[in-house]
Amino acid sequence: MARFIFITGGVVSSLGKGLMAASLAALLQARGYRVRIRKFDPYLNVDPGTMSPYQHGEVYVTDDGAETDLDLGHYERFTGVAARQSDNVTSGRIYQQIIQRERRGDYLGATVQVIPHVTDAIKAFALAETDDLDFVLCEIGGTVGDIESLPFIEAIRQLRNDLGRGNSISVHVTLVPYIAAAGELKTKPTQHSVRELAALGVAPDVLVCRCEQPLPASERAKIALFCNVPAAAVIPALDAKSIYAVPAQYHAEGLDEAVLDAFGIAAEGKPDLSSWADITDRLTNPEGEVTVGVVGKYVGLQDAYKSLNEALVHGGIANRVKVNVRWIDAEVFEHDEADVAAALEPCHAILVPGAFGERGAEGKIASVKFARERNVPYFGICFGMQMACIEGARNLAGVAEASSTEFGPTPEPVVGIITEWMSAEGVQKREAGGDLGGTMRLGAYDAKLAGNSVVASIYGGTDISERHRHRYEVNTGYRERLEQGGLVFSGMSPDGMLPEIVERPDHPWFVGVQFHPELKSKPFDPHPLFASFIAAAVRQSRLV
């Protein structure tokens, strides 16, 4: 039977619950335990798929096609355990399921209420597909006291009783602020947060205290006394130089031992953290550095490109170099080539990431042209591949009015909406004017690579599987003209209908992919495309 660790946060948001959960899971995994992490999101959206990146950061996509919270990316990157549909649930999804059941008459005329119907649904979600695990970590979004999170707190209160003693614990992440004027760390916010959680029926077993200054033993003892936990279960969480140094830092403070002790499990030996030590060493002692210009639409919030940023770091780890990311708003140089050159000339490589909508598209097309003409390594992801095809059509294939139907009616739809495609489950169909949520090509799809292609040499094979999230595809009706212009279709769907990868073999490094390789990159297993892209940036840096 799996043991459950319920993770809550208090006082303020953005304390790093997701990073703590990922680090704790990595530590337990390093001790030989099988782990899985889940996220409960209290908002009423069914999933984050239709939310603006400025509202919620990136949308993380799983192999089985779930659009999920970005914390699931942390979970995968730290544990290597592939996330799935059952690892993220929102209040919206819970209520949607309950209302559908009520409309069908599944409740046999009963009055449908938060208790027991909503809490039972939350508990069922937490318990599903856990038979082969040692530990399940369940993170609850938001902070204790939020109206939205109350059903989730009540559900874990019930679950702790249902599971019985020794089968679940509560870890509470809270803030210990430093008041500069007084020169003191203040424990009262933590005390009040724990009191509020306890008033809801959940007494924490371990406290993780975010603080900017070291937490003295006297303050740990004070928190332990007033919050009714052992002093060894009060874990300081200070800022780290890198998120990949956090697991070792938490181990040094005793987090994994405190958690095992709360379960009554003896912590035998030390976890094997050698891979994390190597990662930290590569980040701390790079042998060079490169600058990558990311020409995007949501550059005002880096969480909008969280997995992308981390994948670039992983590419740096693979090449033992520091990657400096220069975030560039695509709209800044939509109409002036001088602005394009000024912004991109300092960059050793250029990346255009995924996006939706017309805003910034012309700036991205200008970026493609700059990279192609100046022989600067170029990586186009999803929308970035589509813009590479439009640029090639306009400037090398004689299709002056090349565009995407995403931007409106066009006589030359080099990129168009897809309404039918083949998946592992069979033919998938969508209405062009249907709901936005969940109507894209989502999740893992296979692709076949041309045997003599650049990307086949990068991957080391011709059969790949990558994760998708998009509604539009490059129109294969333009393939012949694009290839005459030097843009080779080097990766296709197994049925040969959908372009997956384009490349320019005569360019130092020019690759566009319809999928999102950043979603599968990990610090201890960098994605081959990112490792190769950064290697190309290193070569470019030696030329300038």
Side-chain angles (χ1 to χ4, degrees):
M1 177 181 178
R3 295 178 172 89
F4 285 77
I5 301 171
F6 298 109
I7 298 165
T8 55
V11 185
V12 295
S13 59
S14 301
L15 288 179
K17 292 196 308 296
L19 187 56
M20 190 282 296
S23 299
L24 175 56
L27 290 173
L28 293 171
Q29 194 179 54
R31 288 182 174 275
Y33 293 107
R34 297 163 299 172
V35 300
R36 180 165 286 281
I37 320 177
R38 292 188 158 157
K39 179 72 182 291
F40 301 78
D41 278 311
Y43 51 75
L44 287 176
N45 302 69
V46 173
D47 60 44
T50 58
M51 296 167 70
S52 164
Y54 285 123
Q55 287 278 319
H56 195 261
E58 77 167 2
V59 175
Y60 192 78
V61 179
T62 61
D63 279 337
D64 58 3
E67 294 179 286
T68 72
D69 183 80
L70 62 81
D71 274 335
L72 271 71
H74 281 313
Y75 305 162
E76 273 205 35
R77 286 188 285 273
F78 275 63
T79 66
V81 177
R84 53 197 183 198
Q85 182 90 35
S86 57
D87 291 330
N88 189 204
V89 74
T90 68
S91 291
R93 186 168 149 205
I94 293 289
Y95 282 103
Q96 182 187 57
Q97 291 175 352
I98 289 171
I99 290 169
Q100 287 172 345
R101 292 171 186 167
E102 186 272 334
R103 292 292 84 187
R104 289 197 305 264
D106 292 357
Y107 296 112
L108 303 177
T111 301
V112 181
Q113 297 176 291
V114 173
I115 304 173
H117 300 100
V118 172
T119 51
D120 281 353
I122 295 170
K123 290 193 292 183
F125 162 76
L127 295 170
E129 303 175 21
T130 59
D131 292 340
D132 60 341
L133 301 171
D134 296 311
F135 291 99
V136 180
L137 290 76
C138 297
E139 177 196 347
I140 297 179
T143 57
V144 170
D146 295 344
I147 292 174
E148 294 92 343
S149 66
L150 289 175
F152 292 95
I153 301 294
E154 171 59 20
I156 66 172
R157 183 196 69 78
Q158 294 178 21
L159 264 175
R160 296 199 65 183
N161 287 331
D162 297 345
L163 293 167
R165 286 185 178 275
N167 291 317
S168 74
I169 67 167
S170 166
V171 177
H172 190 52
V173 183
T174 186
L175 178 68
V176 180
Y178 178 76
I179 307 301
E184 293 179 333
L185 288 163
K186 293 297 183 181
T187 65
K188 272 287 186 266
T190 292
Q191 294 177 42
H192 286 301
S193 184
V194 169
R195 187 174 301 133
E196 181 146 12
L197 182 60
L200 297 172
V202 179
D205 301 282
V206 177
L207 294 176
V208 175
C209 299
R210 286 284 280 138
C211 43
E212 296 178 344
Q213 303 284 338
L215 192 63
S218 59
E219 297 304 296
R220 292 178 74 168
K222 183 178 180 181
I223 291 171
L225 175 65
F226 284 100
C227 297
N228 200 32
V229 298
V234 179
I235 309 298
L238 280 77
D239 292 343
K241 291 182 179 179
S242 161
I243 62 172
Y244 301 119
V246 172
Q249 187 169 304
Y250 271 130
H251 171 66
E253 296 292 356
L255 175 61
D256 48 326
E257 293 184 7
V259 165
L260 291 174
D261 185 63
F263 279 110
I265 300 172
E268 299 179 1
K270 301 291 184 181
D272 181 6
L273 301 179
S274 56
S275 62
W276 294 103
D278 179 57
I279 291 165
T280 302
D281 178 61
R282 287 170 174 267
L283 289 170
T284 306
N285 303 296
E287 296 175 354
E289 59 182 74
V290 295
T291 299
V292 176
V294 176
V295 184
K297 184 176 179 178
Y298 314 111
V299 295
L301 179 69
Q302 290 187 21
D303 269 0
Y305 300 110
K306 188 62 180 174
S307 291
L308 177 66
N309 189 60
E310 295 307 316
L312 289 168
V313 172
H314 304 163
I317 290 171
N319 291 278
R320 206 175 185 109
V321 295
K322 179 183 179 183
V323 178
N324 301 307
V325 179
R326 184 169 185 175
W327 301 97
I328 303 168
D329 188 341
E331 289 185 278
V332 169
F333 47 71
E334 282 208 315
H335 305 292
D336 191 334
E337 288 194 12
D339 290 340
V340 178
L344 296 180
E345 279 178 349
C347 301
H348 302 122
I350 297 165
L351 189 152
V352 173
F356 294 93
E358 186 174 10
R359 181 170 62 83
E362 291 300 325
K364 294 178 181 182
I365 292 169
S367 303
V368 178
K369 182 181 179 183
F370 178 91
R372 177 178 58 79
E373 292 182 340
R374 300 288 190 95
N375 284 326
V376 178
Y378 175 79
F379 195 1
I381 295 177
C382 195
F383 193 84
M385 168 180 157
Q386 296 170 6
M387 297 306 99
C389 290
I390 290 174
E391 190 277 333
R394 289 180 183 177
N395 298 319
L396 296 173
V399 188
E401 295 185 81
S403 189
S404 169
T405 59
E406 185 175 6
F407 310 152
T410 173
E412 300 286 2
V414 172
V415 178
I417 196 166
I418 51 172
T419 56
E420 184 174 313
W421 65 91
M422 183 64 69
S423 74
E425 291 75 34
V427 176
Q428 300 290 314
K429 295 184 178 181
R430 299 289 187 269
E431 295 288 338
D435 291 345
L436 295 180
T439 60
M440 295 179 280
R441 187 149 77 101
L442 287 165
Y445 284 83
D446 295 336
K448 292 280 187 181
L449 310 184
N452 61 346
S453 62
V454 172
V455 288
S457 66
I458 292 172
Y459 275 100
T462 57
D463 296 302
I464 64 170
S465 175
E466 294 283 3
R467 297 177 189 175
H468 293 65
R469 182 178 182 252
H470 58 98
R471 289 189 184 84
Y472 294 82
E473 300 275 359
V474 175
N475 187 341
T476 53
Y478 291 87
R479 178 174 180 173
E480 184 177 347
R481 279 176 282 180
L482 287 170
E483 291 197 330
Q484 287 173 353
L487 192 64
V488 175
F489 285 55
S490 55
M492 299 292 292
S493 59
D495 61 6
M497 299 299 292
L498 301 175
E500 294 282 9
I501 305 178
V502 296
E503 62 181 54
R504 291 192 176 277
D506 60 348
H507 190 279
W509 205 98
F510 192 108
V511 175
V513 299
Q514 186 57 76
F515 45 82
H516 289 270
E518 70 271 22
L519 299 177
K520 295 180 72 172
S521 186
K522 302 170 185 66
F524 43 81
D525 185 20
H527 193 284
L529 287 174
F530 281 92
S532 179
F533 178 58
I534 297 303
V538 172
R539 292 192 295 272
Q540 184 74 11
S541 71
R542 293 168 181 162
L543 297 175
V544 297

